[in-house]
Amino acid sequence: MEAQRAKWKVNMYAWLLLLPSLIFLLLFTFYPVLQTIILSFHQADLGSPEPFFNGVDNYKLMLEDDVFWKVLSNNIWFALGTVPTSTALALGMALFANKVLRGKGFVRTAYFYPTIVPMIAVANIWLFIYTPEYGALSHVMEWFGKGDMNWLGDQTYVMWAMIFMVIWKEAGYFMIFYLAGLQNISQELYESAAMEGASSWTVFRRVTFPLLMPTTMFVSIIAFTNSFKLVDHLVIMTKGGPDNASNLLLYYIYETAFSFWDQGMASALTIVMVVLLLAVAAIQFFSLDKKIHYN
Amino acid sequence: MAEVELRRISKMYEQQKVVNEVSAVIEPGEFFVLVGPSGCGKSTTLRMIAGLEEISGGDLLIGGKQMNHTPPSGRNISMVFQNYALYPHLTVKENILFGLQVRKVNKQEQIKRLNQVAEMLGIAHLLQRKPRELSGGQRQRVALGRAIVSQHPICLMDEPLSNLDAKLRGHMRTEIRRLQQELGITMIYVTHDQVEAMTMGDRMMVLRDGEVQQVGRPLDVYNHPANLFVAEFTGAPPMNTVQAVWRNNGDRSGVELTDQGSTTFLPLGSFAGIKEGAHVVLGVRPEALQPVEEGQKAPGSGALAIKVQGVEILGSETIVEFTVSGKLWKAKWNGQWTCKRGDILHVGFHAEQARLFDGNTGKNLANVAVQEKGEIRECVQ
Ligand SMILES: Nc1ncnc2c1ncn2[C@@H]1O[C@H](COP(=O)(O)OP(=O)(O)OP(=O)(O)O)[C@@H](O)[C@H]1O
Ligand SMILES: [Mg+2]
């Protein structure tokens, strides 16, 4: 009896301490999520003065919408283009930055600097780089006689241009995680491997890489969610064009909500995107987790 | 053959010399201990032998061949690290086989050696476990296994027992020694614990600030410390020392202790080559100091009347603390003594148990004298 009361008191105390953050969480996270779910089952566009329930109509329309399928496949290609490459590049950069003897600080800063530049500024820089005829890239391409290529205006190239820029922007950020991961590996392990005469490749394959697996998983999940979350550059550079060739799911949601003013459809799209992200993260997590060694 | 020779080996870090012209010849099959206080350069010396640290000066010879610039894997050496350096993501079996796989030893041979080693160390039932699922002692065994399985004739160990509790440490001491003798490995073993050095080593080298103080068999080092530093480093509790003045008087020569104006004379017999009035340091091992019954004749060199300052009864022995000329001394007596703080006792020692050191240089005066006659070869300096 007495024990139960004491326990209740402790519980009460804990809840009280959690209360402030719970209020904010409820107000700004759970409530909007709930509202979005509800709204996705309503027609709420400029044609309907009051939102009204229309069942799964929004979802049905979405499946028939060619643009939806286009931006979804775009986004998948964008993810496939950015995630593995930026992760691998980040690992390579971290290994290098960890090894260089002179100018360690310089190398790290050089690699990390794209990260601290805001995406909007990055987009402006690259907008200039990709400008036909005057842009930096065009000057280089001129040597090959291809100075007039319109990287952002051509449906076949625009996605590559975006992927390249995002890899450049993100790899430095992921490198930081790998650098931290490398610091966690005891020097003794490398010395022990050196005593056995293991080659650098063997050491990387059998020691460094397996021990960095937790970092790799973390980075790849972040990179994957980023490939769906990061659309600032579209606003500056292409607005999703030409003909939706560079459009991504989140930007399409934004357009649906604030250009076409179809709140119901935007909500339905949001739900689809969130479910997709959760599913992929869960698959990554549960399929890889068993094979990863955690300290 | 697996003889390791250090010829005036030095290590510089920037302008600082942390190992200074260390020389030694380590015989094949010998258990050689590097011992000294923290920061004296033991690990650095060992790592230079292993090839993990560049040698700044001098020559390293293994089996008669100069090895200064040979990479670690070419030196026929295995090493056990202080934190074991087991690969945390690999099983015990994979850990032990790692080196053999790297060196592309054939599969059957690998399994044969693995089984041998596992049996020898009693870790056969642990082969499928990861290091984190092992106790400290088991990890230690795996690390040993990894060193042994390579069948290199030389093994280096850097404080391998420092992460274990006292009881396990004692156990592993004998086990490592047993393995080394069974396999006939040349062992170079680093420790800061003089007990390990005394109990395990065939020979030991005492280092201080990167300089060799003494090389010799543990008992020789214990009985004939080359200098004050070695004397105070060895033994538990270490040797008692006190400043004194030498008085020459034929057979009744001895030292004069001064304590707050009053002087005590202790006859030690003749010591060759010490000048009248020279400043010396008298050193006596705690177990050499024995209680003297009132009125009974002291054993050789007079008795000191002392006032007990503290008593530690350890069961099988008793440690009595008192001051002599302002220095805290300890005596170690067998059995359980029921004296208490403030008691007045008489203690004495045999003259041959006394050690005399130069008051300025700290060198053992007897060793200097004996060395001139060439009797004690083992003691350097
Ligand atoms: N990388 C380094 N740069 C500069 N000085 C160093 C370096 N490594 C070691 N030292 C110095 O060299 C000296 C010897 O170090 P070492 O590690 O050999 O000591 P040790 O005898 O093994 O001590 P411990 O018992 O504490 O392990 C120390 O004074 C240390 O400060
Ligand atoms: Mg050390």
Side-chain angles (χ1 to χ4, degrees):
Chain A
M1 194 64 214
E2 195 57 31
Q4 217 153 31
R5 261 187 56 162
K7 209 168 135 190
W8 187 83
K9 248 172 115 169
V10 170
N11 263 336
M12 194 63 206
Y13 195 59
W15 279 109
L16 275 177
L17 284 173
L18 286 174
L19 196 60
S21 45
L22 267 184
I23 288 174
F24 280 97
L25 212 59
L26 281 173
L27 214 56
F28 296 110
T29 305
F30 296 143
Y31 177 69
V33 167
L34 200 67
Q35 276 298 320
T36 310
I37 293 173
I38 292 169
L39 204 58
S40 75
F41 296 108
H42 286 69
Q43 180 146 359
D45 53 13
L46 284 182
S48 20
E50 276 295 314
F52 63 89
F53 184 78
N54 67 350
V56 291
D57 276 4
N58 284 331
Y59 293 93
K60 269 191 196 146
L61 277 175
M62 189 194 307
L63 296 181
E64 291 158 13
D65 179 8
D66 288 342
V67 181
F68 166 72
W69 289 111
K70 172 92 181 158
V71 295
L72 191 63
S73 76
N74 272 354
N75 221 148
I76 288 165
W77 284 116
F78 185 66
L80 288 176
T82 53
V83 178
T85 321
S86 58
T87 309
L89 198 63
L91 176 56
M93 280 157 48
L95 289 173
F96 178 70
N98 210 35
K99 207 153 211 169
V100 286
L101 296 174
R102 255 176 250 176
K104 209 172 216 171
F106 174 77
V107 171
R108 287 182 183 197
T109 316
Y111 283 164
F112 189 60
Y113 124 88
T115 306
I116 48 178
V117 183
M119 195 62 193
I120 298 293
V122 167
N124 275 306
I125 296 169
W126 283 82
L127 189 60
F128 164 70
I129 292 176
Y130 285 143
T131 309
E133 290 177 53
Y134 307 105
L137 187 57
S138 298
H139 280 293
V140 176
M141 293 304 281
E142 223 161 76
W143 299 335
F144 306 99
K146 290 211 168 222
D148 55 349
M149 278 177 80
N150 186 354
W151 293 97
L152 299 181
D154 191 314
Q155 293 204 26
T156 31
Y157 300 132
V158 66
M159 203 49 157
W160 292 110
M162 294 294 160
I163 288 172
F164 190 84
M165 179 190 77
V166 169
I167 290 170
W168 173 84
K169 162 93 173 131
E170 292 205 307
Y173 179 54
F174 299 146
M175 175 194 73
I176 298 295
F177 296 105
Y178 275 119
L179 276 178
L182 284 172
Q183 310 275 305
N184 266 336
I185 301 178
S186 154
Q187 206 54 39
E188 273 192 354
L189 296 185
Y190 293 115
E191 290 179 345
S192 168
M195 296 293 302
E196 310 284 6
S199 66
S200 346
W201 170 243
T202 307
V203 173
F204 175 76
R205 193 172 53 87
R206 297 214 48 196
V207 181
T208 313
F209 189 70
L211 288 176
L212 283 176
M213 266 321 265
T215 314
T216 303
M217 167 141 106
F218 174 77
V219 164
S220 64
I221 287 179
I222 298 283
F224 180 78
T225 46
N226 269 2
S227 72
F228 278 81
K229 273 163 50 186
L230 212 65
V231 293
D232 314 18
H233 57 286
L234 293 181
V235 181
I236 306 284
M237 298 174 80
T238 63
K239 300 261 192 290
D243 190 20
N244 288 317
S246 65
N247 206 350
L248 299 176
L249 189 51
L250 185 58
Y251 189 70
Y252 184 53
I253 293 173
Y254 166 80
E255 282 186 321
T256 309
F258 302 107
S259 302
F260 316 146
W261 293 103
D262 189 344
Q263 306 277 354
M265 180 57 95
S267 301
L269 283 167
T270 307
I271 299 299
V272 168
M273 178 169 132
V274 170
V275 169
L276 200 77
L277 284 183
L278 279 178
V280 172
I283 290 168
Q284 267 179 313
F285 193 80
F286 290 112
S287 67
L288 285 175
D289 201 45
K290 302 252 172 357
K291 302 197 187 96
I292 291 182
H293 168 83
Y294 290 98
N295 272 327
Chain B
M1 269 314 285
E3 181 189 82
V4 179
E5 185 174 354
L6 316 183
R7 284 193 192 150
R8 301 158 70 88
I9 284 199
S10 300
K11 178 72 190 177
M12 308 273 292
Y13 281 120
E14 271 106 50
Q15 290 308 307
Q16 199 194 351
K17 219 170 200 172
V18 297
V19 174
N20 193 6
E21 307 210 334
V22 169
S23 298
V25 179
I26 299 149
E27 305 289 340
E30 183 175 334
F31 198 117
F32 191 83
V33 182
L34 287 172
V35 65
S38 187
C40 69
K42 311 178 292 286
S43 297
T44 310
T45 308
L46 195 75
R47 291 167 58 81
M48 284 194 286
I49 299 173
L52 297 170
E53 207 80 62
E54 216 169 303
I55 298 172
S56 318
D59 289 312
L60 171 72
L61 288 86
I62 297 176
K65 279 208 279 290
Q66 215 239 23
M67 289 281 177
N68 283 34
H69 302 292
T70 311
S73 55
R75 299 188 183 195
N76 250 339
I77 282 179
S78 55
M79 182 156 174
V80 176
F81 292 84
Q82 182 168 358
N83 299 314
Y84 316 138
L86 298 178
Y87 302 110
H89 58 296
L90 299 182
T91 61
V92 168
K93 179 177 163 183
E94 291 165 327
N95 261 292
I96 293 177
L97 290 182
F98 186 87
L100 300 186
Q101 287 165 353
V102 165
R103 271 181 277 120
K104 306 221 163 45
V105 173
N106 100 37
K107 283 258 156 58
Q108 282 170 347
E109 173 74 10
Q110 286 186 15
I111 298 302
K112 202 178 111 212
R113 288 206 213 166
L114 171 73
N115 291 337
Q116 247 173 15
V117 165
E119 173 134 357
M120 194 181 280
L121 293 165
I123 50 173
H125 59 296
L126 303 173
L127 291 181
Q128 298 309 326
R129 295 215 198 151
K130 296 267 176 76
R132 68 163 163 212
E133 297 157 351
L134 302 177
S135 72
Q138 291 169 333
R139 277 178 217 181
Q140 172 73 66
R141 265 172 237 264
V142 176
L144 280 175
R146 203 168 54 168
I148 292 169
V149 83
S150 68
Q151 300 192 344
H152 289 315
I154 302 166
C155 182
L156 311 181
M157 296 196 178
D158 192 351
E159 311 213 13
L161 305 185
S162 58
N163 289 338
L164 304 180
D165 66 57
K167 195 170 163 206
L168 198 52
R169 207 179 300 158
H171 180 73
M172 290 307 291
R173 274 210 300 259
T174 37
E175 188 144 342
I176 290 175
R177 182 69 170 138
R178 174 181 67 84
L179 279 172
Q180 181 265 338
Q181 281 170 335
E182 259 171 38
L183 300 168
I185 310 174
T186 309
M187 177 76 79
I188 307 178
Y189 185 101
V190 161
T191 178
H192 63 263
D193 182 355
Q194 56 91 25
V195 180
E196 273 175 34
M198 296 291 300
T199 53
M200 297 174 83
D202 289 319
R203 281 193 305 153
M204 62 197 266
M205 172 194 269
V206 185
L207 281 172
R208 177 200 194 184
D209 295 338
E211 311 236 4
V212 180
Q213 303 295 306
Q214 189 167 7
V215 183
R217 287 186 303 234
L219 282 183
D220 287 336
V221 173
Y222 187 81
N223 292 331
H224 306 284
N227 58 36
L228 208 50
F229 174 79
V230 177
E232 289 181 332
F233 186 76
T234 49
M239 186 181 270
N240 301 303
T241 57
V242 67
Q243 299 271 352
V245 175
W246 181 258
R247 295 288 171 222
N248 252 335
N249 185 15
D251 271 357
R252 292 287 298 164
S253 298
V255 289
E256 197 175 81
L257 305 179
T258 312
D259 191 9
Q260 292 167 350
S262 69
T263 59
T264 320
F265 180 76
L266 294 173
L268 294 176
S270 67
F271 259 77
I274 307 178
K275 288 198 194 73
E276 163 71 21
H279 284 280
V280 295
V281 174
L282 169 70
V284 185
R285 292 270 175 212
E287 62 275 15
L289 281 168
Q290 288 303 322
V292 181
E293 292 291 326
E294 190 101 38
Q296 200 182 341
K297 198 176 161 329
S301 46
L304 286 162
I306 53 108
K307 193 167 160 187
V308 177
Q309 300 240 319
V311 185
E312 281 176 49
I313 303 177
L314 303 174
S316 67
E317 59 200 23
T318 305
I319 292 173
V320 181
E321 295 177 356
F322 48 88
T323 52
V324 174
S325 275
K327 288 267 292 204
L328 185 70
W329 277 33
K330 291 183 181 183
K332 187 154 83 176
W333 298 336
N334 281 334
Q336 300 169 2
W337 291 71
T338 51
C339 46
K340 56 182 191 298
R341 197 183 150 86
D343 285 359
I344 304 286
L345 293 177
H346 291 267
V347 296
F349 53 91
H350 289 282
E352 64 267 28
Q353 304 267 32
R355 300 285 171 262
L356 284 178
F357 303 93
D358 188 298
N360 298 319
T361 63
K363 285 196 180 154
N364 190 331
L365 292 166
N367 281 5
V368 171
V370 177
Q371 219 168 22
E372 276 161 10
K373 286 189 263 163
E375 273 176 16
I376 299 177
R377 290 189 336 261
E378 301 282 355
C379 301
V380 167
Q381 292 196 345

